[in-house]
């Protein structure tokens, strides 16, 4: 488990374990999204990797339970706001030559 995964578990673990809909939101906020902390560390998960993280946080199933379960790159406020408070911001990588969308 990475330091970022530990933050996810601390902030959202109970909610995600209690309700699968929150697991879908978490998958959406992780799949293909760059998360960067104030020290310049960046975390980005593939669709499969995001599914692995949700399964770990839920302590149930595997990546296939979450793979493509929602709209990749859609970051809900209930996820972005606490992560921002913990020092993490997000962006969606786009094609070379285009601008990057930022939260």
């Amino acid at each position: 488990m990475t330091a970022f995964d530990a933050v996810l578990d601390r902030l959202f673990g109970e909610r995600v374990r209690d309700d699968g809909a929150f697991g879908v939101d978490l998958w959406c906020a992780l799949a293909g999204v760059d998360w960067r902390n104030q020290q310049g560390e960046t975390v980005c998960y593939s669709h499969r990797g995001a599914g692995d993280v949700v399964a770990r946080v839920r302590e149930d199933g595997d990546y296939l339970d979450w793979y493509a379960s929602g709209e990749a790159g859609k970051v809900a406020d209930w996820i972005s706001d606490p992560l921002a408070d913990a020092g993490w911001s997000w962006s969606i990588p786009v094609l070379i030559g285009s601008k990057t969308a930022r939260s």
Side-chain angles (χ1 to χ4, degrees):
M1 179 179 286
T2 69
F4 184 71
D5 290 352
V7 169
L8 295 176
D9 190 54
R10 179 175 52 83
L11 293 175
F12 312 122
E14 187 173 325
R15 183 182 271 185
V16 170
R17 284 186 287 276
D18 288 345
D19 187 339
F22 292 116
V24 172
D25 283 354
L26 184 57
W27 181 88
C28 294
L30 297 178
V33 177
D34 286 343
W35 287 94
R36 179 178 301 261
N37 68 13
Q38 296 167 340
Q39 291 75 38
E41 297 172 285
T42 301
V43 176
C44 185
Y45 298 97
S46 66
H47 289 84
R48 179 182 178 158
D52 282 335
V53 172
V54 175
R56 273 196 308 271
V57 169
R58 279 192 50 94
E59 301 171 354
D60 183 44
D62 63 23
Y63 81 92
L64 284 172
D65 296 323
W66 305 102
Y67 189 89
S69 59
E71 182 182 339
K74 182 177 178 185
V75 181
D77 290 341
W78 74 267
I79 294 172
S80 65
D81 293 346
L83 280 171
D85 291 342
W88 292 88
S89 61
W90 63 277
S91 64
I92 308 248
V94 293
L95 297 174
I96 296 173
S98 299
K99 294 187 179 188
T100 302
R102 296 217 181 260
S103 64

